[in-house]
Amino acid sequence: MESGGGDVIMEEKEEAKPPAGSMTSKFLLSSSVQDPLSRIAENGALLSAKASSSGESPSASSSLVSISRAPKRKADDTEAEADHRHYTPLSEYSANLLTSSEQTGLCYDVRMRFHTTPDIFDSHPETPQRITEIYLLLQQSGLISHEPHGRHLREYLYRIDATEASRKEICLVHSEEYYKQVKSTQALSTQELCDLENTSNSVYFNKNTFLSSKLAAGGALNSCRAVLNSTVKNAIAVIRPPGHHAEEAEAQGFCIFNNVCVATRACQQEFPDICRKVLILDWDVHHGNGVQHVFYDDPNVLYISIHRWSRDADGTRFYPGESGDPEHCGVGPGLGRNVNIAWEQAHMKDADYMFAFQNVVMPIAYEFNPDLVIVAAGFDAADGDQLGQNHVSPACYSHMTHMLMSLAEGKIVVCLEGGYNLQAISTSAHAVTRVLMGEPPDRMILGSVATSAEEDVRKAISIQSKYWRCMNPPTTDSDWIDQAGGVPLGEIIRSYQAFTLYRELQLVKLMIFRDRPYSIFDNQVLATRNYATCKSLLLVFHDPPQVTGIRDPDTGSIDLSCTFMTDNLKSYITWAVKQGYGIIDVNIPVRTRASERQTRANNPQMEEAVKEELAVYLWQNYIEVGDHENIVFMGVGDAFHSLIHFINNHAQECMDLVSGVVGFITAETKLPSVIRDIDQLAMWYYKNSRIFVGNNHMVFDPDRKTPKKKFGTITQSKEKKMMAMLSFHETDATKWMESRLQSNDDLHSAPSVVTVITPTLSVSHAQSRGIDKDKSLSTNQPLLAPPLEMEI
């Protein structure tokens, strides 16, 4: 057995000699080989001995070096005195280099091997031998010291105890009911355990599962603690059972407690000043659905997963299924903090993983700038693993580790997840450990990147470009664009839309008489001429139309001949005009103009405030003052959030005047909700809304609870993309809006087709109706202006 915490890992007697023919017997290293680190260690041992003989305490000789700012040189200092004041002798630093903080930690406990199948005749891939083989290879490679005096030598691993995670720590991630459920397995009979296995999602239990699972979670947590408090520079946790599939209230995919999630949550609480932002990199061949769900709305945890997402013969996705969709990017404040790089085919190799790391993982990780890196290190993508069917070499794992070590000042913890080929998992973990200890990664022989892998990575780049600056290709210098009179393509497209809608449907620009909304949303608000006199009004807030084209990844240039705009929302506007309804159509740009973007680039709250200010302005000056009997709000994409913010802040007015709300939301957008605390608002919204949500949205995940009334009446679409959803649900949505927009006199008769043209309103007329205006405007400036006045 290993000794207590703080001691060097000692050899287990039962594991001292591998059996004949064992895989690990092939990897014995000569103890006579001495690398540069061992020579430095010998010098450090001499220095430590010298310090001890001089009466210095061990704690003093092993403390971390603290380099403070040099004091200012006084006028009467000589050069020699100044040098003496500014610099500490090299010998003093040398004596402090070889401390425990320069070592790599290893967490391992034989009790984690006690979790086995209840049926002794059942052969299961998640076997206790997985961690045994890793430990044996590390031991026989000379990375584990056999003697206590090796404690402070960097060529040996430093012992980290795997203590049991507490109930409080585990319940930071899991529910109390689930914790009690796992605990209850200690008292079940063998037959009951077998029955439980048969009804569970790819999980088995025995009487020791609860203990082993607490040790695995505690081992991951203690490893992170040791790194954060500088006991070790980095660590590897050889733990089981794995955890990244475990959900809040369910064990899945060989996983009981979600080890890396427990470690992350607990460390964020224990070390709030030095562990605020955490990167979890998951290179297990299976997607970590449990990790994704825990941190899906957390802005301080970046989850990046590289996983296989191919379809089986029956059309189902590789385990665990649809959760690994690259379109799943997080919600709310966590939007953009979930990055899925999904391989659509099996048999990915080193070149494919390096391509993903260099083009997506590391650029995003650098931009995120974490305080701690945790690797969910499943080695089932390794060459030889029959479950994963990929071909990643130990050298590739070592290179990926080496790149991640450049983050968070080297604070990285590697936690074992999957991996079911004993030779592949041990050699891969061994390669990772040696890199953590300071050795360079092994040399790789890279082939070409697979075509499918390049497409998968490009897809991830395209999706994540909405949330990360590094995912956008380089563009021409902004100063040059301003000097050349560059115009954003979005404004050109909106001008084209305005011209087309004016020519075909008589929509004109609605004037905005406030500085801030006007500067941002000029030309973005269009309306029918009957917006003020109609009985029924449709207010539409929508994202810009979708543009699809080919973009050069190096120069950022776009081939315009192969670039197309699609706008399925136009058919809704055409329908409303033919019904004689008034329309106010508001296009909400994803990004504002260059000069404004620079001032608000890092202030999304300001962006949302401006959008809500526009909604308030339109309501007070153009909607509330009208003679409308029925008003319907329609929100499409991220712009829908602006309408919900308005409803929350003007609840009573909306409940009195708005007869319906229609929304379209895809997977990458958080499902907005009204505030439950406002009296009757949630029930009103539930009864008077139809929210069409993309098929792959997280709200439909079977592991999540049924959405509450505050999210409205939800319809799960068969489609995923916004344009497809708008087309597929057009008949359903328009019929529902028609039922809400008909006046009381027209409920039993078909609406007639009416085109109402009203005189242009002047500002003096606006003043008589209480409409706001800018003081500098002349009294004859129109509120409605045809788009022919705009630059096109």
Side-chain angles (χ1 to χ4, degrees), residues 233-247:
K233 63 178 180 180
N234 52 45
I236 180 168
V238 183
I239 55 178
R240 68 174 290 274
H244 71 152
H245 292 310
E247 296 284 358

Side-chain angles (χ1 to χ4, degrees), residues 4 11 29 42 89 102 108 131 136 213 340 357 371 391 408 411 469 517 520 591 616 666 704 748 769 791:
E11 176 183 6
L29 298 182
E42 289 179 355
E102 291 298 312
Y108 173 81
I131 61 173
L136 283 173
S213 301
N340 285 329
F357 248 73
D371 301 314
H391 308 285
K411 296 182 179 68
R469 291 188 298 273
I520 300 171
R591 293 185 177 91
V616 172
T666 54
R704 298 174 71 92
H748 303 290
R769 303 188 64 174
E791 296 180 5

Side-chain angles (χ1 to χ4, degrees), residues 650-658 678-682 684-685:
H650 301 79
Q652 193 58 54
E653 299 169 74
C654 291
M655 287 190 287
D656 292 341
L657 298 176
V658 178
I678 299 178
D679 188 36
Q680 299 298 319
L681 179 60
W684 170 85
Y685 183 57

Side-chain angles (χ1 to χ4, degrees), residues 53-340:
S53 64
S54 63
E56 294 181 17
S57 64
S59 60
S61 64
S62 61
S63 61
L64 293 176
V65 178
S66 176
I67 303 176
S68 59
R69 184 181 298 275
K72 292 183 179 181
R73 180 180 173 181
K74 297 180 180 179
D76 57 347
D77 277 347
T78 64
E79 291 295 332
E81 289 172 337
D83 289 343
H84 179 72
R85 287 169 56 86
H86 291 184
Y87 301 105
T88 304
L90 181 60
S91 60
E92 293 186 25
Y93 288 134
S94 300
N96 286 284
L97 287 176
L98 303 172
T99 66
S100 61
S101 63
E102 291 298 312
Q103 288 180 267
T104 293
L106 169 64
C107 183
Y108 173 81
D109 194 304
V110 294
R111 292 175 294 171
M112 287 184 278
R113 302 186 311 193
F114 298 167
H115 168 66
T116 61
T117 57
D119 184 352
I120 61 174
F121 299 105
D122 183 15
S123 176
H124 197 282
E126 208 289 282
T127 170
Q129 289 177 276
R130 297 171 60 245
I131 61 173
T132 302
E133 292 294 330
I134 294 174
Y135 183 86
L136 283 173
L137 185 53
L138 296 177
Q139 176 181 283
Q140 296 174 14
S141 299
L143 304 184
I144 299 175
S145 174
H146 299 171
E147 301 295 337
H149 72 260
R151 175 177 182 178
H152 296 296
L153 303 183
R154 287 193 297 181
E155 71 266 33
Y156 295 130
L157 293 163
Y158 185 90
R159 170 63 181 272
I160 299 173
D161 278 343
T163 57
E164 299 174 35
S166 68
R167 178 193 58 79
K168 181 179 180 181
E169 290 163 347
I170 292 174
C171 289
L172 291 172
V173 173
H174 298 284
S175 66
E176 291 275 359
E177 294 75 14
Y178 176 65
Y179 179 85
K180 294 176 182 178
Q181 177 187 344
V182 178
K183 184 179 181 179
S184 69
T185 59
Q186 299 175 107
L188 298 180
S189 66
T190 300
Q191 184 57 51
E192 289 173 327
L193 290 167
C194 290
D195 294 341
L196 180 60
E197 177 184 359
N198 294 332
T199 58
S200 298
N201 186 347
S202 302
V203 185
Y204 64 78
F205 299 87
N206 73 352
K207 293 180 181 295
N208 294 308
T209 294
F210 183 57
L211 170 64
S212 297
S213 301
K214 288 195 297 179
L215 287 169
L221 174 54
N222 286 353
S223 298
C224 293
R225 284 172 173 151
V227 171
L228 290 170
N229 63 27
S230 298
T231 301
V232 294
K233 63 178 180 180
N234 52 45
I236 180 168
V238 183
I239 55 178
R240 68 174 290 274
H244 71 152
H245 292 310
E247 296 284 358
E248 177 189 2
E250 183 184 4
Q252 290 186 14
F254 312 162
C255 303
I256 310 299
F257 294 138
N258 205 314
N259 306 320
V260 298
C261 291
V262 170
T264 300
R265 284 278 194 237
C267 286
Q268 285 179 320
Q269 287 193 1
E270 292 181 30
F271 304 91
D273 296 331
I274 61 174
C275 186
R276 187 174 64 88
K277 297 195 298 180
V278 179
L279 164 63
I280 300 177
L281 188 281
D282 191 340
W283 65 42
D284 191 291
V285 78
H286 302 94
H287 179 253
N289 55 289
V291 184
Q292 175 172 287
H293 292 162
V294 170
F295 300 115
Y296 205 61
D297 59 354
D298 192 330
N300 292 320
V301 178
L302 170 61
Y303 177 62
I304 304 180
S305 176
I306 310 177
H307 54 273
R308 180 178 162 189
W309 203 55
S310 57
R311 292 191 181 275
D312 298 332
D314 60 357
T316 59
R317 290 287 185 185
F318 190 70
Y319 190 88
E322 295 294 337
S323 68
D325 193 327
E327 302 255 358
H328 289 167
C329 303
V331 294
L335 188 61
R337 296 298 193 261
N338 197 88
V339 180
N340 285 329

Side-chain angles (χ1 to χ4, degrees), residues 487-499 501 507-512 516-528 539-545 565 567 569 573 583-594 596 600 610-611 614-615 617-618 622 639 783 785-787 790-791:
V487 180
L489 185 59
E491 293 187 11
I492 297 175
I493 291 175
R494 185 57 175 174
S495 296
Y496 168 77
Q497 282 186 302
F499 179 79
L501 291 173
L507 265 69
V508 293
K509 182 175 72 172
L510 199 62
M511 301 299 291
I512 300 174
R516 188 163 72 167
Y518 179 83
S519 65
I520 300 171
F521 295 106
D522 183 33
N523 297 332
Q524 306 295 341
V525 184
L526 307 175
T528 53
L539 174 65
V540 185
F541 268 50
H542 61 87
D543 294 343
M565 181 194 77
D567 183 13
L569 193 60
I573 297 175
I583 301 171
I584 296 179
D585 174 76
V586 185
N587 180 73
I588 304 294
V590 177
R591 293 185 177 91
T592 56
R593 297 174 184 174
E596 293 153 354
R600 296 194 307 278
V610 171
K611 295 173 185 177
L614 174 66
Y617 180 87
L618 294 174
Y622 292 113
L783 296 177
M790 298 187 295
E791 296 180 5

Side-chain angles (χ1 to χ4, degrees), residues 446-692:
L446 294 178
S448 58
V449 179
T451 302
S452 64
E454 185 173 353
E455 293 174 354
D456 296 337
V457 172
R458 295 297 182 198
K459 181 177 183 180
I461 292 173
S462 175
I463 293 170
Q464 296 299 326
S465 63
K466 302 175 185 177
Y467 317 112
W468 300 97
R469 291 188 298 273
C470 60
M471 292 293 99
N472 287 291
T475 57
T476 310
D477 182 77
S478 58
D479 294 335
W480 183 88
I481 291 177
D482 293 337
Q483 294 175 7
V487 180
L489 185 59
E491 293 187 11
I492 297 175
I493 291 175
R494 185 57 175 174
S495 296
Y496 168 77
Q497 282 186 302
F499 179 79
T500 303
L501 291 173
Y502 171 74
R503 183 181 60 190
E504 299 178 6
L505 301 174
Q506 292 295 298
L507 265 69
V508 293
K509 182 175 72 172
L510 199 62
M511 301 299 291
I512 300 174
F513 298 140
R514 276 188 189 161
D515 292 338
R516 188 163 72 167
Y518 179 83
S519 65
I520 300 171
F521 295 106
D522 183 33
N523 297 332
Q524 306 295 341
V525 184
L526 307 175
T528 53
R529 291 182 182 271
N530 66 334
Y531 78 91
T533 59
C534 63
K535 296 295 184 181
S536 300
L537 178 69
L538 176 63
L539 174 65
V540 185
F541 268 50
H542 61 87
D543 294 343
Q546 182 174 332
V547 176
T548 304
I550 299 175
R551 183 174 61 181
D552 189 302
D554 296 321
T555 65
S557 60
I558 299 174
D559 185 352
L560 294 180
S561 63
C562 299
T563 302
F564 303 92
M565 181 194 77
T566 53
D567 183 13
N568 286 10
L569 193 60
K570 182 181 176 182
S571 60
Y572 286 77
I573 297 175
T574 302
W575 162 82
V577 170
K578 289 182 178 180
Q579 298 298 103
Y581 305 142
I583 301 171
I584 296 179
D585 174 76
V586 185
N587 180 73
I588 304 294
V590 177
R591 293 185 177 91
T592 56
R593 297 174 184 174
S595 59
E596 293 153 354
R597 181 167 67 251
Q598 291 171 2
T599 60
R600 296 194 307 278
N602 298 317
N603 195 343
Q605 291 80 12
M606 183 179 289
E607 291 280 1
E608 289 302 321
V610 171
K611 295 173 185 177
E612 187 175 351
E613 183 180 343
L614 174 66
V616 172
Y617 180 87
L618 294 174
W619 177 266
Q620 293 178 346
N621 294 282
Y622 292 113
I623 299 176
E624 192 176 36
V625 296
D627 299 323
H628 313 111
E629 293 181 1
N630 302 288
I631 300 172
V632 167
F633 287 172
M634 180 177 179
V636 180
D638 290 328
F640 187 31
H641 284 262
S642 300
L643 287 178
I644 297 302
H645 283 311
F646 176 80
I647 292 174
N648 284 329
N649 293 328
H650 301 79
Q652 193 58 54
E653 299 169 74
C654 291
M655 287 190 287
D656 292 341
L657 298 176
V658 178
S659 54
V661 180
V662 175
F664 286 85
I665 294 293
T666 54
E668 59 267 25
T669 302
K670 179 182 178 181
L671 186 62
S673 66
V674 298
I675 300 174
R676 294 175 57 189
D677 295 339
I678 299 178
D679 188 36
Q680 299 298 319
L681 179 60
M683 183 58 68
W684 170 85
Y685 183 57
Y686 180 74
K687 290 181 177 180
N688 295 282
S689 64
R690 283 293 300 277
I691 314 301
F692 299 93

